Amino acid sequence: MSDLLTQPAVDILALLSERKISALELADLHITQIERLNPSLNALVDFDPERVRQQARASDSQKGERGLLQGLPLTIKSSISVANHRCETGSLRNRNHTPTRDAETVRRLRAAGAIILGTTNCPENLMAYETDNLLYGRTNNPWNLAYTAGGSSGGESAAIAAGLSAGGLGSDGGGSVRTPAHMTGICALKPTPGRIPGDGHLPTNTGPFTLLGTIGPMARTVADLDILYRVLTGPDDTDPIAPPIEYRRIAPKSVQEIRIGYLEDDGLIPITSETRKAVQTAVESLRSQGFHVEPFQSPLLEAARKLWYKLFVGCGAMLLEPESPEEEAQLSPTFRDFLTIAHRDARPSADELLHTWTEIDPLRTRLLEEMRTFPILLTPACAIPAFRHAERSWTIDGQPLAYLDAMRFTQWFNLLGSPAAVVPITQSPDNLPIGVQLAGRPYADELVLAIAASLDRDFGYTAPPVTSH
C-alpha cells in the first residue's frame, strides 16, 4: 500500500470512490509517511495527526453525494489561510499567526471533500527561490537532501514529490509554484490572476501584486492539476479581479490545432545543456503527437522581466522591509539576501512606480499580439536544475549566471498575467529533475493544462529516491 502514496491523485480518488480504501486508511498511510520522511525533508510545519484522522472519519461517515475530492489528503502552503493552522510565511515577525477562517481556495477544497493534512514550509515573506527561514529551517529536496526543493512553495513541492501529500496549494509571484515543481519533479500551474481566488493569502495580493501573484495547484500529474483546478476555479464576488468564468472543458481534437512557439533560451543568459535538451525533447514529443511547433523569440520578454523586477523586487522591499531595529534583527538570511538585491538600486520614487505601472499594459498588449501566432509558448522552467543550499551564483560554459537571472523564464509570465504550467521531462547527470514550462494567453488556463497533459503522458512524475529508503 505504500506505493499508493506516489500514485496520481486521480487514481487514489478512484480507489476511494470504489471503496477499495477508506479515507481513514489513506490518512493513516500519509501520517506514517509524514512521520517517516518529514524529519529529513522538513516540508510540513503545522501537522496534527489526530486532526487529520478526525477529518477522515467524518469523510467516511458522510452520507449522500460524494465530493470531487472526497477523502483526498492535501497540504497547503503556510502563506494561505487555513483555520486554526499557523500562517506565518516563514517569518519570526509572524510567529504564531493563526487565522480563524479558511481562505476561499481552502474552503472550496474542503467543500469538495478534501482532507487538509497541514501546512508547508516557505522562505520568509516568500521572497526567495530557496525555502529556508529562522522559524523552521530549510526544506530539503527529496531527490538529494543537500539540494533545495526551491521556493517559495518549496515545502509544498517536497511534500507532494515524496508522497507526504497527494497534492495541494502554493502561490506564485515570480515562479513560486513552477520553480519548486521543476526542482522536485512534479507539476504545477500558475493560473491567470483571478481564475482562482486570492483571498486569504499573506502577504495580500494587492497593488502590483494583483497582477503578479496568484494561488495555484501543485500535484504529481497534470490530470491531478486539472481536477484541483476544476474545484478551485470560478467566480468569487468578493474578489475584484475574479472573472465570471467557470471551468471550460477543452475538446482533445481542438488542442492540436494550436500553434506552439518554443525557445531554448533568451539569448541573454546561459543555461545548462541538460535544460536545453529537456526543451528539445519536449518539442520532439509534441511534434510526434501532431502539434505544430516552431522557434519563437521576442525582445519583449526581456522588457517584461525588467518591469517584473521593478515591481516585484522594488515594491516587495518597500512593503516588507523591517520598520525597526528589533524587526531587522529577526530577519532570516534568505530575506536579507532579497533586501540586499533590492537595495542595489535606489528606492523607487512615486513617479518611477507610476511610470512603471503605466508601462505594463502597452507591453502586455504587444506581447499578446505576438502570441496570436503562437498562443502557447514552450520554454525552460529554469536555467538550472535544483541547486545546493545557499548557492546564489553559477558558471555555465564559462559564463556567469546570477541568482534571479536563472529564474527569469517564469518571471515573464507573472508580468504578462498568463497561465503557465510546469511538467517534468527528464533528469540532469546528477539525477535531479528538469521540467519545462508551457504558458498561454490570459484566461487560456484549460488550454495550457490540456497541452501540458500531452507532455505529461510521454514523460511525467517519477518517485524520488527518498520514498524507497
Side-chain angles (χ1 to χ4, degrees):
M1 291 294 285
S2 61
D3 289 346
L4 185 62
L5 296 173
T6 53
Q7 294 303 303
V10 290
D11 292 351
I12 297 172
L13 284 167
L15 295 175
L16 286 164
S17 178
E18 295 162 6
R19 309 284 184 178
K20 293 182 178 178
I21 189 171
S22 70
L24 182 57
E25 290 171 325
L26 184 62
D28 277 331
L29 284 174
H30 281 84
I31 289 168
T32 298
Q33 188 83 328
I34 292 167
E35 291 175 340
R36 182 173 77 91
L37 294 181
N38 200 54
S40 60
L41 294 176
N42 195 31
L44 275 78
V45 296
D46 192 343
F47 165 67
D48 179 350
E50 190 49 42
R51 185 158 47 184
V52 174
R53 292 189 179 102
Q54 288 174 359
Q55 294 175 76
R57 293 187 191 102
S59 180
D60 284 332
S61 64
Q62 181 176 314
K63 306 298 182 183
E65 186 176 353
R66 295 174 61 84
L68 198 60
L69 305 177
Q70 195 71 42
L72 188 69
L74 302 176
T75 40
I76 310 294
K77 182 180 181 180
S78 59
S79 62
I80 301 168
S81 296
V82 181
N84 303 316
H85 285 70
R86 293 187 298 277
C87 181
E88 299 161 308
T89 63
S91 176
L92 289 172
R93 292 185 287 170
N94 293 328
R95 189 200 293 270
N96 295 325
H97 173 67
T98 306
T100 57
R101 69 175 186 87
D102 290 333
E104 175 62 16
T105 46
V106 177
R107 187 199 67 77
R108 290 183 181 188
L109 293 176
R110 290 196 201 271
I115 291 168
I116 305 303
L117 291 165
T119 55
T120 53
N121 204 19
C122 57
E124 183 172 9
N125 296 321
L126 319 184
M127 294 294 174
Y129 291 100
E130 176 176 8
T131 295
D132 193 2
N133 59 59
L134 293 180
L135 266 178
Y136 300 108
R138 72 189 189 194
T139 295
N140 299 315
N141 193 314
W143 285 88
N144 187 324
L145 300 181
Y147 287 74
T148 182
S152 61
S153 307
E156 193 64 25
S157 67
I160 295 165
L164 279 61
S165 168
L169 296 181
S171 59
D172 191 314
S176 286
V177 300
R178 291 163 289 158
T179 303
H182 152 73
M183 290 183 175
T184 58
I186 66 169
C187 301
L189 173 72
K190 181 202 86 69
T192 303
R195 289 296 307 270
I196 292 176
D199 157 78
H201 188 268
L202 185 69
T204 57
N205 289 329
T206 55
F209 292 91
T210 302
L211 173 66
L212 303 183
T214 63
I215 292 173
M218 305 175 72
R220 286 187 285 271
T221 72
V222 175
D224 299 344
L225 290 184
D226 186 74
I227 198 169
L228 291 173
Y229 185 76
R230 272 187 271 168
V231 168
L232 294 165
T233 193
D236 177 6
D237 62 8
T238 65
D239 187 339
I241 68 164
I245 302 174
E246 301 287 353
Y247 176 84
R248 299 173 292 193
R249 190 174 298 278
I250 301 293
K253 287 186 178 180
S254 67
V255 171
Q256 289 192 341
E257 299 171 3
I258 302 298
R259 294 165 64 89
I260 301 172
Y262 78 94
L263 55 91
E264 297 173 14
D265 60 52
D266 66 351
L268 298 172
I269 64 161
I271 66 170
T272 65
S273 58
E274 55 263 34
T275 299
R276 191 178 304 279
K277 181 61 177 176
V279 174
Q280 294 168 348
T281 301
V283 169
E284 291 167 6
S285 168
L286 291 171
R287 283 177 174 163
S288 71
Q289 296 180 56
F291 287 93
H292 185 90
V293 189
E294 292 183 19
F296 172 87
Q297 198 62 263
S298 172
L300 298 178
L301 293 173
E302 174 62 4
R305 185 198 66 82
K306 289 179 176 178
L307 287 183
W308 172 88
Y309 182 94
K310 289 180 181 179
L311 292 174
F312 188 89
V313 178
C315 289
M318 291 173 65
L319 294 171
L320 296 170
E321 60 188 350
E323 297 180 356
S324 68
E326 291 76 19
E327 285 190 348
E328 186 167 359
Q330 295 180 309
L331 299 183
S332 64
T334 53
F335 192 63
R336 289 181 187 276
D337 284 347
F338 168 76
L339 290 178
T340 297
I341 292 170
H343 292 157
R344 289 173 188 163
D345 300 318
R347 186 183 179 115
S349 67
D351 284 348
E352 288 170 330
L353 287 178
L354 181 60
H355 181 68
T356 298
W357 214 319
T358 58
E359 288 183 292
I360 294 174
D361 284 344
L363 178 61
R364 292 179 72 203
T365 297
R366 292 166 63 197
L367 268 167
L368 290 173
E369 286 173 348
E370 290 186 351
M371 290 180 70
R372 282 176 174 157
T373 304
F374 296 111
I376 296 292
L377 298 180
L378 168 63
T379 80
C382 185
I384 55 173
F387 53 89
R388 290 183 179 274
H389 294 293
E391 282 186 339
R392 290 296 182 268
S393 63
W394 304 272
T395 301
I396 299 174
D397 297 331
Q399 300 180 62
L401 177 64
Y403 174 56
L404 288 186
D405 277 343
M407 324 299 173
R408 61 174 51 213
F409 301 100
T410 53
Q411 297 159 6
W412 298 333
F413 301 110
N414 291 88
L415 194 284
L416 191 55
S418 288
V422 161
V423 182
I425 299 295
T426 185
Q427 293 179 4
S428 74
D430 295 325
N431 297 318
L432 295 167
I434 299 174
V436 299
Q437 177 178 230
L438 287 160
R441 293 162 62 85
Y443 306 109
D445 303 51
E446 294 89 343
L447 177 60
V448 167
L449 286 171
I451 297 178
S454 298
L455 282 178
D456 199 31
R457 285 190 289 270
D458 270 4
F459 306 102
Y461 167 82
T462 300
V466 72
T467 62
S468 59
H469 292 168

